[in-house]
Amino acid sequence: MPERIVTMPGSTDQFVLTERPAPALTDRYRPLPDGINSHDLLVIRANEVRTGDVVTALFTEGPGIRRMEHVPEPFAAHPRPFGICPAHCEECSVTHLSGGTTDRYMCLNTADDYTNCAVVYPNAPVAIIPADTAAEFPPLDSTPQLPDLFTLDDGEHGPYEALPVPRAWSPFATISVTRATAEKIAADIPGTHAGRHLTFRWLHDTLLIASDPRLRTDPGRPGRLIEPDADGRYRIGGLWRWEEWSVPFCPNCGAETEPLDVEGERVWRCTAPDCTRRTYGTGNPDDDDELPSYTEDDGLRMDALFDVRQERGEIDIEATAELAAPGGPDEDEQDAK
């Protein structure tokens, strides 16, 4: 990713500017409007931010070379003294408890009832697009919001993309999904704990979700009919608990992970180039004790064996599992043969 290095008057630090990461499951950053790039960014101290400036990033701790930490949602700043955010704001509450005062902190953006305020030190470096520059481009809300991601209560299915939910949304409320996502949900849920008493059936464009007749409180109703709205989307929910989907971090180096299916199990592989750690993502290190590290040969070796067995008209499942295991077939057995 191209880098641009700038300095600030009165500072010996170097500030590394980069473009915003592309939207992805592990990089949840809303893109900037078309035409805006890192050359439109300035680095100033937080106490120099003015109303209307677009805040795009903070920076790693100094001194020395300091790299951008992109904020997930760039926002138009409304600087104000610290301490006037809503009482529900977690950021304000935590900062207050740690001795935060108006002379030590300021608020660049006031949150609503469920979102943290953007609270920083007055002299903290901030990457902005000046208000007059931002006015030359489309407004921030011209870029589509990234979809919210959800999973079932077992955490092994999904993620399912949905339109962003309102702040007052609850886990048993509906999420709005496309037909393709609705089909994926309908295929996944019957095999989960949440869907053990449910059946799914498509009636042309309508999805019928029916429960076990013995469990119905209203025997005359066939189930819940979910029809597409005017935009062709399906609002599904209320029959099981939705969970927000998130990517677990590597327990070794803290990098983000990516999903990997190994012998029918969902595990997570570290994305750092120098780390081969795999994890179940439960947060309990004991769960990962018997889980071997990943090597690039794993998939290649198992694919090769599968192809050979297939050519012979047979697939030896035990041998396939043995080859897929770290170290491959037992060396003593190979020598004996």
Side-chain angles (χ1 to χ4, degrees):
M1 183 179 294
E3 296 181 347
R4 173 180 165 228
I5 300 176
V6 300
T7 57
M8 242 187 347
S11 174
T12 59
D13 293 339
Q14 292 183 316
F15 299 92
V16 180
L17 306 184
T18 60
E19 302 295 341
R20 290 177 70 75
L25 292 183
T26 56
D27 261 336
R28 305 291 295 162
Y29 297 110
R30 187 177 182 181
L32 290 167
D34 289 340
I36 296 179
N37 57 52
S38 63
H39 289 280
D40 299 303
L41 301 177
L42 294 180
V43 179
I44 62 176
R45 291 181 172 84
N47 58 15
E48 299 172 325
V49 175
R50 298 292 177 260
T51 299
D53 293 342
V54 176
V55 177
T56 66
L58 305 176
F59 289 89
T60 55
E61 302 256 336
I65 297 177
R66 307 182 66 168
R67 297 185 177 274
M68 298 182 74
E69 293 184 341
H70 297 271
V71 298
E73 295 272 346
F75 59 87
H78 298 279
R80 61 198 69 200
F82 169 71
I84 64 172
C85 295
H88 298 84
C89 175
E90 297 175 10
E91 184 69 24
C92 288
S93 300
V94 171
T95 308
H96 270 303
L97 291 174
S98 62
T101 58
T102 55
D103 60 329
R104 293 185 60 203
Y105 294 92
M106 63 178 297
C107 183
L108 294 179
N109 192 44
T110 302
D112 60 21
D113 286 348
Y114 294 88
T115 305
N116 293 344
C117 300
V119 176
V120 296
Y121 292 110
N123 62 349
V126 180
I128 68 162
I129 302 168
D132 54 352
T133 301
E136 299 174 4
F137 295 94
L140 288 177
D141 58 10
S142 68
T143 61
Q145 286 183 278
L146 292 177
D148 282 341
L149 300 176
F150 295 93
T151 182
L152 300 176
D153 56 6
D154 60 5
E156 296 183 1
H157 295 82
Y160 306 113
E161 292 190 352
L163 292 181
V165 296
R167 298 298 179 191
W169 180 86
S170 70
F172 284 94
T174 62
I175 61 174
S176 176
V177 301
T178 64
R179 168 69 185 255
T181 301
E183 290 176 349
K184 185 70 169 64
I185 293 171
D188 287 347
I189 292 186
T192 69
H193 179 77
R196 63 194 185 283
H197 298 303
L198 300 174
T199 59
F200 294 75
R201 180 183 174 191
W202 285 96
L203 308 172
H204 302 292
D205 289 336
T206 300
L207 176 60
L208 169 62
I209 304 178
S211 60
D212 187 321
R214 295 167 296 179
L215 303 176
R216 293 178 191 163
T217 57
D218 186 355
R221 297 187 60 185
R224 183 169 298 186
L225 294 170
I226 302 176
E227 298 180 297
D229 60 19
D231 297 320
R233 304 184 69 90
Y234 294 81
R235 302 189 65 85
I236 300 177
L239 298 172
W240 54 82
R241 180 184 179 86
W242 289 117
E243 299 284 353
E244 291 186 70
W245 187 86
S246 60
V247 178
F249 292 93
C250 174
N252 273 9
C253 66
E256 290 179 329
T257 59
E258 60 185 6
L260 186 72
D261 290 325
V262 178
E263 297 181 24
E265 286 189 302
R266 169 60 58 90
V267 299
W268 300 88
R269 172 195 175 188
C270 180
T271 58
D274 57 346
C275 183
T276 60
R277 179 64 182 265
R278 288 192 292 196
T279 176
Y280 285 114
T282 63
N284 184 353
D286 293 339
D287 293 344
D288 299 334
D289 279 348
E290 303 301 322
L291 187 62
S293 296
Y294 177 86
T295 65
E296 295 296 339
D297 295 335
D298 286 353
L300 296 176
R301 288 160 57 239
M302 190 159 75
D303 289 345
L305 180 64
F306 184 86
D307 290 341
V308 170
R309 297 289 181 184
Q310 196 171 37
E311 288 177 6
R312 295 177 180 173
E314 59 177 349
I315 299 176
D316 190 330
I317 300 300
E318 292 185 2
T320 302
E322 183 182 4
L323 189 62
D330 186 89
E331 294 180 359
D332 293 337
E333 291 184 10
Q334 290 298 309
D335 292 340
K337 292 178 182 179

